Each structure stands twice: as C-alpha cells, then as structure tokens.
C-alpha cells in the first residue's frame, strides 16, 4: 500500500496526464473526481480538486463535484418498476 507522500505524488502525476487528454477545464475536474474516488479511494472535495488542478474558478470544481455525485447516484439506483412480482402484490 502507498503511503501518503507516494499517493499524493502519484495523484499529481495522474492529474498531469489528464491535462493532456482533457483540454476543457470542466472535463478535467470531472475526470479528477473519478480518479480520486475510484483509483485512490479518496472522497473528492471542491477544495482538494482545486488544489490538484488549479485551473478555473472555484465554481468549476464545485459544479463538477455536484455532477459527479449526481451521476454516481443515478447509475447506482435500482429500478424496480418491472419486477417479477404477482399482480396482487403490485397493487398493494
């Protein structure tokens, strides 16, 4: 397992690589959210995102973070509209 210094330097290296792939600031912040959460197991915050990316105004990472959590909730939601449940049970 990586210690805090190694994790931070690896995260910065990954963010630098993302800069080349994502020219738009909003896309860069969205990808940084996913990177922090899924690869490094860190909960992204507006401040931590801005400290990593240092691009745009503070409203950009806030909006990207809001959209990230919204998309994650939507993908994790289970839809039970067409469950294989008897009709009598559906009515109740």
């Amino acid at each position: 397992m990586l210690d805090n210094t190694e994790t931070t330097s690896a995260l910065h290296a990954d963010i630098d690589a993302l800069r080349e792939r994502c020219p738009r600031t909003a896309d860069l912040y969205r990808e940084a959210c996913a990177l922090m959460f899924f690869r490094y197991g860190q909960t992204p915050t507006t401040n931590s995102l801005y400290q990593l990316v240092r691009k745009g105004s503070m409203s950009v990472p806030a909006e990207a973070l809001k959209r990230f959590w919204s998309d994650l909730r939507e993908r994790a939601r289970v839809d039970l509209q067409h469950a294989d449940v008897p009709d009598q049970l559906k009515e109740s």
Side-chain angles (χ1 to χ4, degrees):
M1 184 163 177
L2 299 174
D3 68 6
N4 194 26
T5 307
E6 292 173 335
T7 302
T8 302
S9 62
L11 185 55
H12 281 285
D14 285 342
I15 294 295
D16 289 339
L18 281 176
R19 286 181 195 277
E20 297 171 9
R21 289 192 347 221
C22 302
R24 290 188 56 233
T25 304
D27 294 340
L28 180 60
Y29 276 110
R30 185 188 70 238
E31 292 297 321
C33 284
L35 185 71
M36 285 181 72
F37 188 70
F38 292 113
R39 184 175 294 172
Y40 292 97
Q42 298 177 359
T43 303
T45 63
T46 302
N47 192 35
S48 65
L49 287 170
Y50 188 77
Q51 294 298 318
L52 284 170
V53 176
R54 293 201 179 269
K55 190 174 178 186
S57 67
M58 283 298 284
S59 64
V60 179
E63 182 61 34
L65 191 60
K66 185 172 105 176
R67 211 170 334 127
F68 172 75
W69 290 122
S70 176
D71 289 348
L72 196 60
R73 274 191 298 276
E74 190 63 36
R75 289 181 183 158
R77 185 168 287 138
V78 176
D79 187 17
L80 297 176
Q81 290 180 0
H82 300 289
D84 293 333
V85 178
D87 290 333
Q88 292 176 345
L89 192 58
K90 284 182 189 177
E91 291 172 5
S92 64

mmCIF file of all heavy atoms in Angstrom, residues 4-44:
data_model
loop_
_atom_site.group_PDB
_atom_site.id
_atom_site.type_symbol
_atom_site.label_atom_id
_atom_site.label_comp_id
_atom_site.label_asym_id
_atom_site.label_seq_id
_atom_site.Cartn_x
_atom_site.Cartn_y
_atom_site.Cartn_z
ATOM 1 N N ASN A 4 1.144 8.223 2.307
ATOM 2 C CA ASN A 4 0.509 9.475 1.918
ATOM 3 C C ASN A 4 1.336 10.264 0.909
ATOM 4 O O ASN A 4 0.791 10.831 -0.039
ATOM 5 C CB ASN A 4 0.232 10.314 3.170
ATOM 6 C CG ASN A 4 -0.724 11.449 2.887
ATOM 7 O OD1 ASN A 4 -1.521 11.367 1.967
ATOM 8 N ND2 ASN A 4 -0.642 12.500 3.671
ATOM 9 N N THR A 5 2.649 10.323 1.083
ATOM 10 C CA THR A 5 3.514 11.066 0.167
ATOM 11 C C THR A 5 3.520 10.426 -1.214
ATOM 12 O O THR A 5 3.427 11.125 -2.225
ATOM 13 C CB THR A 5 4.950 11.120 0.724
ATOM 14 O OG1 THR A 5 4.912 11.628 2.053
ATOM 15 C CG2 THR A 5 5.828 11.994 -0.125
ATOM 16 N N GLU A 6 3.614 9.094 -1.254
ATOM 17 C CA GLU A 6 3.603 8.386 -2.537
ATOM 18 C C GLU A 6 2.256 8.527 -3.227
ATOM 19 O O GLU A 6 2.190 8.703 -4.446
ATOM 20 C CB GLU A 6 3.934 6.916 -2.338
ATOM 21 C CG GLU A 6 5.361 6.671 -1.906
ATOM 22 C CD GLU A 6 5.598 5.232 -1.548
ATOM 23 O OE1 GLU A 6 4.633 4.529 -1.182
ATOM 24 O OE2 GLU A 6 6.754 4.794 -1.604
ATOM 25 N N THR A 7 1.179 8.460 -2.467
ATOM 26 C CA THR A 7 -0.158 8.617 -3.022
ATOM 27 C C THR A 7 -0.328 10.008 -3.617
ATOM 28 O O THR A 7 -0.840 10.158 -4.727
ATOM 29 C CB THR A 7 -1.232 8.375 -1.941
ATOM 30 O OG1 THR A 7 -1.065 7.065 -1.413
ATOM 31 C CG2 THR A 7 -2.625 8.523 -2.503
ATOM 32 N N THR A 8 0.117 11.015 -2.895
ATOM 33 C CA THR A 8 -0.013 12.390 -3.367
ATOM 34 C C THR A 8 0.778 12.607 -4.643
ATOM 35 O O THR A 8 0.275 13.210 -5.596
ATOM 36 C CB THR A 8 0.446 13.371 -2.273
ATOM 37 O OG1 THR A 8 -0.344 13.152 -1.107
ATOM 38 C CG2 THR A 8 0.276 14.810 -2.728
ATOM 39 N N SER A 9 1.997 12.110 -4.701
ATOM 40 C CA SER A 9 2.813 12.296 -5.900
ATOM 41 C C SER A 9 2.238 11.511 -7.081
ATOM 42 O O SER A 9 2.256 11.992 -8.217
ATOM 43 C CB SER A 9 4.266 11.929 -5.644
ATOM 44 O OG SER A 9 4.378 10.578 -5.298
ATOM 45 N N ALA A 10 1.712 10.314 -6.827
ATOM 46 C CA ALA A 10 1.079 9.535 -7.897
ATOM 47 C C ALA A 10 -0.184 10.227 -8.402
ATOM 48 O O ALA A 10 -0.449 10.262 -9.608
ATOM 49 C CB ALA A 10 0.747 8.131 -7.395
ATOM 50 N N LEU A 11 -0.943 10.798 -7.484
ATOM 51 C CA LEU A 11 -2.162 11.526 -7.861
ATOM 52 C C LEU A 11 -1.824 12.741 -8.707
ATOM 53 O O LEU A 11 -2.466 12.993 -9.732
ATOM 54 C CB LEU A 11 -2.933 11.927 -6.603
ATOM 55 C CG LEU A 11 -4.291 12.582 -6.783
ATOM 56 C CD1 LEU A 11 -5.218 11.731 -7.627
ATOM 57 C CD2 LEU A 11 -4.917 12.833 -5.425
ATOM 58 N N HIS A 12 -0.797 13.481 -8.333
ATOM 59 C CA HIS A 12 -0.367 14.640 -9.120
ATOM 60 C C HIS A 12 0.101 14.215 -10.511
ATOM 61 O O HIS A 12 -0.184 14.899 -11.501
ATOM 62 C CB HIS A 12 0.734 15.416 -8.392
ATOM 63 C CG HIS A 12 0.221 16.303 -7.316
ATOM 64 N ND1 HIS A 12 -0.414 17.492 -7.570
ATOM 65 C CD2 HIS A 12 0.236 16.170 -5.972
ATOM 66 C CE1 HIS A 12 -0.762 18.058 -6.433
ATOM 67 N NE2 HIS A 12 -0.379 17.269 -5.434
ATOM 68 N N ALA A 13 0.809 13.099 -10.598
ATOM 69 C CA ALA A 13 1.265 12.601 -11.898
ATOM 70 C C ALA A 13 0.078 12.221 -12.777
ATOM 71 O O ALA A 13 0.065 12.513 -13.985
ATOM 72 C CB ALA A 13 2.195 11.411 -11.701
ATOM 73 N N ASP A 14 -0.928 11.585 -12.181
ATOM 74 C CA ASP A 14 -2.122 11.217 -12.949
ATOM 75 C C ASP A 14 -2.897 12.446 -13.408
ATOM 76 O O ASP A 14 -3.437 12.468 -14.516
ATOM 77 C CB ASP A 14 -3.022 10.297 -12.122
ATOM 78 C CG ASP A 14 -2.479 8.886 -12.023
ATOM 79 O OD1 ASP A 14 -1.610 8.513 -12.841
ATOM 80 O OD2 ASP A 14 -2.924 8.143 -11.116
ATOM 81 N N ILE A 15 -2.965 13.464 -12.570
ATOM 82 C CA ILE A 15 -3.652 14.711 -12.946
ATOM 83 C C ILE A 15 -2.907 15.383 -14.098
ATOM 84 O O ILE A 15 -3.534 15.884 -15.041
ATOM 85 C CB ILE A 15 -3.767 15.672 -11.737
ATOM 86 C CG1 ILE A 15 -4.682 15.074 -10.666
ATOM 87 C CG2 ILE A 15 -4.263 17.042 -12.170
ATOM 88 C CD1 ILE A 15 -6.128 14.898 -11.070
ATOM 89 N N ASP A 16 -1.582 15.366 -14.059
ATOM 90 C CA ASP A 16 -0.800 15.938 -15.160
ATOM 91 C C ASP A 16 -1.063 15.193 -16.467
ATOM 92 O O ASP A 16 -1.142 15.807 -17.533
ATOM 93 C CB ASP A 16 0.688 15.924 -14.825
ATOM 94 C CG ASP A 16 1.055 16.930 -13.748
ATOM 95 O OD1 ASP A 16 0.275 17.890 -13.536
ATOM 96 O OD2 ASP A 16 2.108 16.753 -13.103
ATOM 97 N N ALA A 17 -1.207 13.881 -16.393
ATOM 98 C CA ALA A 17 -1.528 13.097 -17.585
ATOM 99 C C ALA A 17 -2.932 13.433 -18.095
ATOM 100 O O ALA A 17 -3.172 13.477 -19.305
ATOM 101 C CB ALA A 17 -1.417 11.607 -17.278
ATOM 102 N N LEU A 18 -3.856 13.683 -17.155
ATOM 103 C CA LEU A 18 -5.219 14.056 -17.551
ATOM 104 C C LEU A 18 -5.255 15.410 -18.255
ATOM 105 O O LEU A 18 -6.101 15.636 -19.120
ATOM 106 C CB LEU A 18 -6.136 14.116 -16.323
ATOM 107 C CG LEU A 18 -6.658 12.805 -15.782
ATOM 108 C CD1 LEU A 18 -7.468 13.051 -14.511
ATOM 109 C CD2 LEU A 18 -7.518 12.095 -16.809
ATOM 110 N N ARG A 19 -4.381 16.313 -17.882
ATOM 111 C CA ARG A 19 -4.343 17.637 -18.506
ATOM 112 C C ARG A 19 -4.161 17.534 -20.016
ATOM 113 O O ARG A 19 -4.733 18.328 -20.768
ATOM 114 C CB ARG A 19 -3.214 18.480 -17.926
ATOM 115 C CG ARG A 19 -3.463 18.982 -16.549
ATOM 116 C CD ARG A 19 -2.265 19.825 -16.082
ATOM 117 N NE ARG A 19 -2.291 20.033 -14.670
ATOM 118 C CZ ARG A 19 -3.008 20.978 -14.060
ATOM 119 N NH1 ARG A 19 -3.720 21.799 -14.760
ATOM 120 N NH2 ARG A 19 -2.968 21.088 -12.749
ATOM 121 N N GLU A 20 -3.370 16.573 -20.467
ATOM 122 C CA GLU A 20 -3.138 16.392 -21.893
ATOM 123 C C GLU A 20 -4.363 15.818 -22.595
ATOM 124 O O GLU A 20 -4.629 16.157 -23.740
ATOM 125 C CB GLU A 20 -1.937 15.477 -22.109
ATOM 126 C CG GLU A 20 -0.642 16.050 -21.575
ATOM 127 C CD GLU A 20 0.488 15.044 -21.605
ATOM 128 O OE1 GLU A 20 0.315 13.952 -22.196
ATOM 129 O OE2 GLU A 20 1.552 15.357 -21.040
ATOM 130 N N ARG A 21 -5.112 14.949 -21.912
ATOM 131 C CA ARG A 21 -6.290 14.312 -22.512
ATOM 132 C C ARG A 21 -7.535 15.165 -22.444
ATOM 133 O O ARG A 21 -8.442 14.986 -23.253
ATOM 134 C CB ARG A 21 -6.566 12.981 -21.814
ATOM 135 C CG ARG A 21 -5.573 11.916 -22.132
ATOM 136 C CD ARG A 21 -6.016 10.552 -21.680
ATOM 137 N NE ARG A 21 -7.151 10.563 -20.780
ATOM 138 C CZ ARG A 21 -7.274 9.786 -19.722
ATOM 139 N NH1 ARG A 21 -6.339 8.943 -19.424
ATOM 140 N NH2 ARG A 21 -8.349 9.842 -18.967
ATOM 141 N N CYS A 22 -7.638 16.036 -21.464
ATOM 142 C CA CYS A 22 -8.858 16.825 -21.241
ATOM 143 C C CYS A 22 -8.545 18.321 -21.345
ATOM 144 O O CYS A 22 -8.190 18.942 -20.342
ATOM 145 C CB CYS A 22 -9.447 16.516 -19.869
ATOM 146 S SG CYS A 22 -9.845 14.795 -19.602
ATOM 147 N N PRO A 23 -8.689 18.898 -22.516
ATOM 148 C CA PRO A 23 -8.383 20.327 -22.659
ATOM 149 C C PRO A 23 -9.412 21.241 -21.976
ATOM 150 O O PRO A 23 -9.060 22.333 -21.537
ATOM 151 C CB PRO A 23 -8.365 20.540 -24.172
ATOM 152 C CG PRO A 23 -9.176 19.433 -24.739
ATOM 153 C CD PRO A 23 -9.046 18.282 -23.790
ATOM 154 N N ARG A 24 -10.662 20.789 -21.869
ATOM 155 C CA ARG A 24 -11.692 21.609 -21.207
ATOM 156 C C ARG A 24 -11.565 21.474 -19.693
ATOM 157 O O ARG A 24 -11.414 20.366 -19.160
ATOM 158 C CB ARG A 24 -13.094 21.167 -21.634
ATOM 159 C CG ARG A 24 -13.403 21.518 -23.089
ATOM 160 C CD ARG A 24 -14.848 21.260 -23.465
ATOM 161 N NE ARG A 24 -15.743 21.973 -22.578
ATOM 162 C CZ ARG A 24 -16.749 21.373 -21.920
ATOM 163 N NH1 ARG A 24 -16.978 20.100 -22.058
ATOM 164 N NH2 ARG A 24 -17.532 22.084 -21.131
ATOM 165 N N THR A 25 -11.643 22.586 -19.007
ATOM 166 C CA THR A 25 -11.481 22.610 -17.551
ATOM 167 C C THR A 25 -12.539 21.770 -16.850
ATOM 168 O O THR A 25 -12.226 21.013 -15.931
ATOM 169 C CB THR A 25 -11.526 24.066 -17.047
ATOM 170 O OG1 THR A 25 -10.525 24.815 -17.740
ATOM 171 C CG2 THR A 25 -11.264 24.138 -15.564
ATOM 172 N N ALA A 26 -13.792 21.872 -17.266
ATOM 173 C CA ALA A 26 -14.871 21.108 -16.627
ATOM 174 C C ALA A 26 -14.639 19.606 -16.778
ATOM 175 O O ALA A 26 -14.863 18.835 -15.832
ATOM 176 C CB ALA A 26 -16.219 21.505 -17.224
ATOM 177 N N ASP A 27 -14.174 19.177 -17.953
ATOM 178 C CA ASP A 27 -13.888 17.751 -18.169
ATOM 179 C C ASP A 27 -12.726 17.282 -17.302
ATOM 180 O O ASP A 27 -12.738 16.170 -16.775
ATOM 181 C CB ASP A 27 -13.560 17.488 -19.640
ATOM 182 C CG ASP A 27 -14.742 17.730 -20.560
ATOM 183 O OD1 ASP A 27 -15.893 17.723 -20.074
ATOM 184 O OD2 ASP A 27 -14.502 17.933 -21.768
ATOM 185 N N LEU A 28 -11.735 18.138 -17.161
ATOM 186 C CA LEU A 28 -10.575 17.811 -16.327
ATOM 187 C C LEU A 28 -10.993 17.599 -14.871
ATOM 188 O O LEU A 28 -10.579 16.633 -14.224
ATOM 189 C CB LEU A 28 -9.530 18.913 -16.431
ATOM 190 C CG LEU A 28 -8.253 18.745 -15.619
ATOM 191 C CD1 LEU A 28 -7.514 17.478 -16.008
ATOM 192 C CD2 LEU A 28 -7.356 19.960 -15.818
ATOM 193 N N TYR A 29 -11.840 18.475 -14.362
ATOM 194 C CA TYR A 29 -12.314 18.321 -12.983
ATOM 195 C C TYR A 29 -13.173 17.068 -12.822
ATOM 196 O O TYR A 29 -13.066 16.362 -11.819
ATOM 197 C CB TYR A 29 -13.095 19.560 -12.538
ATOM 198 C CG TYR A 29 -12.206 20.669 -12.038
ATOM 199 C CD1 TYR A 29 -12.039 21.843 -12.756
ATOM 200 C CD2 TYR A 29 -11.526 20.553 -10.835
ATOM 201 C CE1 TYR A 29 -11.229 22.862 -12.288
ATOM 202 C CE2 TYR A 29 -10.707 21.560 -10.358
ATOM 203 C CZ TYR A 29 -10.570 22.708 -11.091
ATOM 204 O OH TYR A 29 -9.748 23.706 -10.616
ATOM 205 N N ARG A 30 -14.006 16.760 -13.809
ATOM 206 C CA ARG A 30 -14.847 15.564 -13.725
ATOM 207 C C ARG A 30 -13.984 14.311 -13.690
ATOM 208 O O ARG A 30 -14.203 13.404 -12.879
ATOM 209 C CB ARG A 30 -15.812 15.516 -14.913
ATOM 210 C CG ARG A 30 -16.800 14.365 -14.812
ATOM 211 C CD ARG A 30 -17.635 14.184 -16.050
ATOM 212 N NE ARG A 30 -16.784 13.696 -17.121
ATOM 213 C CZ ARG A 30 -16.605 14.296 -18.293
ATOM 214 N NH1 ARG A 30 -17.213 15.415 -18.552
ATOM 215 N NH2 ARG A 30 -15.814 13.787 -19.208
ATOM 216 N N GLU A 31 -12.965 14.259 -14.542
ATOM 217 C CA GLU A 31 -12.066 13.108 -14.559
ATOM 218 C C GLU A 31 -11.235 13.019 -13.272
ATOM 219 O O GLU A 31 -10.951 11.934 -12.786
ATOM 220 C CB GLU A 31 -11.141 13.177 -15.773
ATOM 221 C CG GLU A 31 -11.860 12.994 -17.091
ATOM 222 C CD GLU A 31 -12.505 11.631 -17.231
ATOM 223 O OE1 GLU A 31 -11.893 10.630 -16.794
ATOM 224 O OE2 GLU A 31 -13.614 11.557 -17.774
ATOM 225 N N ALA A 32 -10.873 14.166 -12.720
ATOM 226 C CA ALA A 32 -10.128 14.182 -11.457
ATOM 227 C C ALA A 32 -10.986 13.622 -10.323
ATOM 228 O O ALA A 32 -10.475 12.911 -9.452
ATOM 229 C CB ALA A 32 -9.659 15.596 -11.143
ATOM 230 N N CYS A 33 -12.274 13.932 -10.326
ATOM 231 C CA CYS A 33 -13.196 13.366 -9.322
ATOM 232 C C CYS A 33 -13.187 11.845 -9.393
ATOM 233 O O CYS A 33 -13.041 11.167 -8.369
ATOM 234 C CB CYS A 33 -14.623 13.845 -9.575
ATOM 235 S SG CYS A 33 -14.993 15.511 -9.088
ATOM 236 N N ALA A 34 -13.361 11.314 -10.590
ATOM 237 C CA ALA A 34 -13.400 9.862 -10.768
ATOM 238 C C ALA A 34 -12.073 9.227 -10.369
ATOM 239 O O ALA A 34 -12.042 8.174 -9.722
ATOM 240 C CB ALA A 34 -13.746 9.527 -12.220
ATOM 241 N N LEU A 35 -10.986 9.863 -10.731
ATOM 242 C CA LEU A 35 -9.663 9.363 -10.394
ATOM 243 C C LEU A 35 -9.458 9.287 -8.883
ATOM 244 O O LEU A 35 -9.035 8.262 -8.346
ATOM 245 C CB LEU A 35 -8.602 10.269 -11.023
ATOM 246 C CG LEU A 35 -7.165 9.848 -10.893
ATOM 247 C CD1 LEU A 35 -6.895 8.632 -11.767
ATOM 248 C CD2 LEU A 35 -6.258 10.989 -11.289
ATOM 249 N N MET A 36 -9.791 10.366 -8.192
ATOM 250 C CA MET A 36 -9.633 10.388 -6.734
ATOM 251 C C MET A 36 -10.489 9.329 -6.069
ATOM 252 O O MET A 36 -10.046 8.607 -5.181
ATOM 253 C CB MET A 36 -10.009 11.765 -6.176
ATOM 254 C CG MET A 36 -8.990 12.836 -6.404
ATOM 255 S SD MET A 36 -9.519 14.395 -5.690
ATOM 256 C CE MET A 36 -9.320 14.042 -3.948
ATOM 257 N N PHE A 37 -11.752 9.228 -6.499
ATOM 258 C CA PHE A 37 -12.697 8.349 -5.830
ATOM 259 C C PHE A 37 -12.447 6.871 -6.147
ATOM 260 O O PHE A 37 -12.374 6.037 -5.237
ATOM 261 C CB PHE A 37 -14.123 8.732 -6.217
ATOM 262 C CG PHE A 37 -15.177 8.014 -5.429
ATOM 263 C CD1 PHE A 37 -15.371 8.304 -4.092
ATOM 264 C CD2 PHE A 37 -15.963 7.054 -6.023
ATOM 265 C CE1 PHE A 37 -16.352 7.648 -3.357
ATOM 266 C CE2 PHE A 37 -16.947 6.390 -5.297
ATOM 267 C CZ PHE A 37 -17.135 6.684 -3.966
ATOM 268 N N PHE A 38 -12.297 6.547 -7.428
ATOM 269 C CA PHE A 38 -12.215 5.141 -7.813
ATOM 270 C C PHE A 38 -10.803 4.569 -7.735
ATOM 271 O O PHE A 38 -10.625 3.424 -7.337
ATOM 272 C CB PHE A 38 -12.785 4.939 -9.216
ATOM 273 C CG PHE A 38 -14.265 5.165 -9.281
ATOM 274 C CD1 PHE A 38 -14.784 6.223 -9.987
ATOM 275 C CD2 PHE A 38 -15.138 4.326 -8.612
ATOM 276 C CE1 PHE A 38 -16.144 6.440 -10.044
ATOM 277 C CE2 PHE A 38 -16.498 4.532 -8.651
ATOM 278 C CZ PHE A 38 -17.014 5.593 -9.376
ATOM 279 N N ARG A 39 -9.789 5.315 -8.103
ATOM 280 C CA ARG A 39 -8.434 4.756 -8.096
ATOM 281 C C ARG A 39 -7.751 4.906 -6.748
ATOM 282 O O ARG A 39 -7.060 4.005 -6.289
ATOM 283 C CB ARG A 39 -7.568 5.420 -9.159
ATOM 284 C CG ARG A 39 -6.181 4.767 -9.217
ATOM 285 C CD ARG A 39 -5.320 5.288 -10.312
ATOM 286 N NE ARG A 39 -5.890 4.921 -11.603
ATOM 287 C CZ ARG A 39 -5.423 5.372 -12.755
ATOM 288 N NH1 ARG A 39 -4.407 6.199 -12.772
ATOM 289 N NH2 ARG A 39 -5.977 5.000 -13.882
ATOM 290 N N TYR A 40 -7.954 6.070 -6.100
ATOM 291 C CA TYR A 40 -7.220 6.325 -4.856
ATOM 292 C C TYR A 40 -8.085 6.186 -3.604
ATOM 293 O O TYR A 40 -7.578 6.296 -2.500
ATOM 294 C CB TYR A 40 -6.567 7.709 -4.909
ATOM 295 C CG TYR A 40 -5.467 7.751 -5.935
ATOM 296 C CD1 TYR A 40 -5.697 8.253 -7.204
ATOM 297 C CD2 TYR A 40 -4.210 7.252 -5.634
ATOM 298 C CE1 TYR A 40 -4.694 8.272 -8.154
ATOM 299 C CE2 TYR A 40 -3.198 7.266 -6.579
ATOM 300 C CZ TYR A 40 -3.456 7.773 -7.846
ATOM 301 O OH TYR A 40 -2.462 7.774 -8.786
ATOM 302 N N GLY A 41 -9.382 5.976 -3.757
ATOM 303 C CA GLY A 41 -10.253 5.775 -2.614
ATOM 304 C C GLY A 41 -10.411 7.004 -1.732
ATOM 305 O O GLY A 41 -10.725 6.889 -0.552
ATOM 306 N N GLN A 42 -10.198 8.184 -2.314
ATOM 307 C CA GLN A 42 -10.350 9.433 -1.570
ATOM 308 C C GLN A 42 -11.654 10.107 -1.981
ATOM 309 O O GLN A 42 -12.024 10.090 -3.145
ATOM 310 C CB GLN A 42 -9.191 10.383 -1.864
ATOM 311 C CG GLN A 42 -7.852 9.855 -1.444
ATOM 312 C CD GLN A 42 -6.719 10.802 -1.825
ATOM 313 O OE1 GLN A 42 -6.934 11.850 -2.418
ATOM 314 N NE2 GLN A 42 -5.508 10.430 -1.474
ATOM 315 N N THR A 43 -12.328 10.692 -1.013
ATOM 316 C CA THR A 43 -13.544 11.430 -1.319
ATOM 317 C C THR A 43 -13.165 12.804 -1.847
ATOM 318 O O THR A 43 -12.525 13.584 -1.143
ATOM 319 C CB THR A 43 -14.418 11.579 -0.058
ATOM 320 O OG1 THR A 43 -14.701 10.279 0.460
ATOM 321 C CG2 THR A 43 -15.706 12.297 -0.376
ATOM 322 N N PRO A 44 -13.527 13.096 -3.100
ATOM 323 C CA PRO A 44 -13.161 14.399 -3.654
ATOM 324 C C PRO A 44 -13.980 15.518 -3.015
ATOM 325 O O PRO A 44 -15.169 15.355 -2.747
ATOM 326 C CB PRO A 44 -13.482 14.256 -5.145
ATOM 327 C CG PRO A 44 -14.438 13.132 -5.248
ATOM 328 C CD PRO A 44 -14.212 12.253 -4.072
#
